[in-house]
Amino acid sequence: FFSCHRRHWQDHGTDPDRGGRRQRNVAQRQQKLRLIPPAPLCQAVLPRHNTETSPINFSALQLAEPIVRAVTNKGYDTATEIQAGAIPSALEGRDILGTAQTGTGKTCAFALPILHRLSLAQVEHRPRPKKYDRNYMGRPPRALVLAPTRELATQIHDSFVAYGRNLKLRQTVVYGGVNQFHQVRALQNGIDILVATPGRLRDLQEQGYIDLT
């Protein structure tokens, strides 16, 4: 926001038709903005933790044992900074907005708390009719993850499958560009976690296959 508007002022602030007053106003605004230090995103929500000097094991984050076992089997023992900051708050049900570099485990940071909270509230799935019924609706999803692209949605879904392999939870992914038949069948089985791209999500919702109410 700041950089965009600053360029705008620099482009137009020297317009001779604007006069000296315009230039003085621009200079005053820029000076005020310089006095405001940029605040790191979510510092109040995600306390910084130096995982290099004091690493945190996943077992110390109060996650369910099946989840810790699955993460350990993937070769992960200690949490990264974004994971150590986000997971405890997410387990408490707090809203979180976080940012981190690529490869630091952001998907794991939000996937593990979702799996943990859903595992504590197991629900029964309604059996699907033996005869195919296109109007049959399985139990609606309890968690929704939106991804902008098919590739990212697939990666996120694969992470949920890997981390939740020891839990009796169902997850599926829906995206456009392919036939929706198998996606609809998975939804009719009833799911706990739905990973979706916005276009296919809206399409299936309008057809009545997804209930987010």
Side-chain angles (χ1 to χ4, degrees):
F1 175 80
F2 168 66
S3 60
C4 173
H5 283 266
R6 186 175 181 180
R7 285 195 299 269
H8 175 77
W9 292 335
Q10 289 176 341
D11 291 341
H12 300 281
T14 56
D15 187 347
D17 296 335
R18 300 283 184 175
R21 180 178 299 178
R22 171 66 175 174
Q23 296 182 18
R24 287 192 298 271
N25 290 340
V26 169
Q28 291 174 357
R29 292 179 183 177
Q30 291 177 340
Q31 181 62 29
K32 289 181 180 179
L33 288 173
R34 291 193 191 99
L35 297 176
I36 303 176
L41 185 62
C42 298
Q43 184 177 14
V45 179
L46 302 181
R48 288 190 173 275
H49 182 88
N50 192 336
T51 54
E52 294 182 358
T53 58
S54 54
I56 295 181
N57 292 329
F58 283 101
S59 58
L61 294 176
Q62 307 300 318
L63 292 165
E65 187 277 333
I67 299 176
V68 175
R69 182 157 30 100
V71 173
T72 303
N73 291 337
K74 289 278 290 182
Y76 305 134
D77 296 322
T78 58
T80 63
E81 183 178 355
I82 184 66
Q83 294 165 354
I87 290 176
S89 297
L91 290 176
E92 297 174 0
R94 299 172 60 187
D95 293 333
I96 294 176
L97 178 62
T99 181
Q101 294 181 348
T102 301
T104 55
K106 295 185 293 295
T107 301
C108 180
F110 68 79
L112 299 192
I114 291 175
L115 291 168
H116 176 86
R117 289 174 63 87
L118 294 182
S119 68
L120 297 180
Q122 294 278 4
V123 296
E124 294 294 331
H125 290 272
R126 293 177 293 180
R128 190 182 66 187
K130 293 182 179 181
K131 185 177 180 180
Y132 175 70
D133 180 5
R134 70 177 308 273
N135 296 319
Y136 173 78
M137 282 287 295
R139 192 177 52 75
R142 297 193 288 159
L144 172 64
V145 180
L146 286 178
T149 66
R150 167 181 175 175
E151 292 74 18
L152 183 57
T154 302
Q155 293 176 14
I156 294 173
H157 174 256
D158 292 343
S159 296
F160 272 102
V161 172
Y163 301 141
R165 58 183 299 180
N166 301 319
L167 301 173
K168 295 181 179 179
L169 296 175
R170 297 179 180 177
Q171 50 267 325
T172 193
V173 57
V174 298
Y175 47 76
V178 297
N179 190 288
Q180 70 177 32
F181 176 79
H182 294 290
Q183 298 177 0
V184 171
R185 293 285 280 178
L187 293 169
Q188 290 181 327
N189 284 331
I191 57 173
D192 296 290
I193 302 167
L194 174 62
V195 183
T197 55
R200 179 52 62 95
L201 173 69
R202 182 175 181 179
D203 185 17
L204 294 176
Q205 189 177 11
E206 290 177 348
Q207 295 181 57
Y209 292 121
I210 297 178
D211 180 12
L212 298 180
T213 58

